Amino acid sequence: MKKILLLIAVITVYAVIQFSTNKISTESSSPAKKYVPDIIVKDLEGKDIELKKLINGKVTVLNFWATWCPSCRKELAEMEKFFQKYKDNGLSIIAFSVDQDINEVKKYVKENQPAIKIIMANDNLISAYGGIKSIPVTFILDIEGQIKNKIIGYNTKIEDEIKKYLDIK
């Protein structure tokens, strides 16, 4: 019985990864499209943070990911690199973990020490961004907090999409 459950889990993870294709969309049916919703999220220490304060007049990337998702971890490592490259040009990246176990997220942060913000997603946040049906999923917001792009799945062109909104000369 344990082997069958393990096989089902492996097939499910594989299906999620395969379903997460490289889709880039400039339109979103998300209710958050025209504004940054009044939502409180928690940092890894359990402190409340207003989402609006995180999106503070910068081009902001919101990435929904999980520690158990290999393509999410790969994408997050790449985002870390271009955050370091463009943070002085007004880039902010917030990675919202959809993990159920905060300890797994804390372990990831301890092992990888990312400079980007890692925050736990909650149901209100997920609903505000149209529901997260697969991961990774990335939203690119302009300096006013409007969603400009929604990228579903691991994508090697996220940096190019972000650069469109940064003040790079």
Side-chain angles (χ1 to χ4, degrees):
M1 183 67 168
K2 287 183 182 180
K3 288 182 181 181
I4 292 172
L5 291 175
L6 178 61
L7 180 61
I8 291 171
V10 169
I11 291 170
T12 302
V13 169
Y14 180 77
V16 168
I17 292 167
Q18 292 303 314
F19 180 75
S20 301
T21 58
N22 295 332
K23 298 177 186 173
I24 297 177
S25 170
T26 56
E27 294 186 26
S28 171
S29 60
S30 167
K33 183 172 183 172
K34 297 196 186 290
Y35 69 97
V36 178
D38 288 322
I39 291 178
I40 303 292
V41 293
K42 292 195 181 289
D43 67 14
L44 297 182
E45 284 73 45
K47 295 178 189 166
D48 288 345
I49 302 172
E50 291 179 50
L51 183 60
K52 285 185 176 187
K53 288 186 179 178
L54 292 173
I55 301 167
N56 192 7
K58 294 184 174 190
V59 172
T60 304
V61 175
L62 304 179
N63 179 262
F64 290 83
W65 71 290
T67 59
W68 51 263
C69 169
S71 58
C72 297
R73 291 172 69 106
K74 184 175 180 181
E75 185 173 84
L76 209 55
E78 290 175 14
M79 284 191 185
E80 180 71 28
K81 289 177 188 173
F82 55 78
F83 172 69
Q84 295 297 339
K85 188 174 178 181
Y86 300 113
K87 65 183 177 184
D88 294 336
N89 297 96
L91 177 63
S92 176
I93 299 177
I94 305 165
F96 290 105
S97 173
V98 297
D99 282 272
Q100 296 298 312
D101 185 355
I102 192 170
N103 292 321
E104 287 297 317
V105 181
K106 288 179 179 182
K107 180 180 171 187
Y108 173 87
V109 169
K110 185 176 181 180
E111 290 172 358
N112 296 280
Q113 300 188 0
I116 61 178
K117 293 176 182 78
I118 306 286
I119 296 176
M120 298 303 292
N122 61 33
D123 291 341
N124 291 336
L125 178 71
I126 290 170
S127 293
Y129 282 91
I132 305 300
K133 295 171 182 52
S134 66
I135 54 173
V137 64
T138 303
F139 294 89
I140 301 173
L141 284 60
D142 66 11
I143 60 172
E144 296 172 359
Q146 284 193 328
I147 296 173
K148 294 299 182 180
N149 292 68
K150 177 181 180 181
I151 302 166
I152 301 170
Y154 174 76
N155 193 297
T156 58
K157 299 193 186 310
I158 291 177
E159 182 176 4
D160 294 336
E161 293 298 313
I162 291 168
K163 285 171 36 178
K164 292 178 184 178
Y165 304 101
L166 292 173
D167 185 23
I168 300 175
K169 295 183 178 20

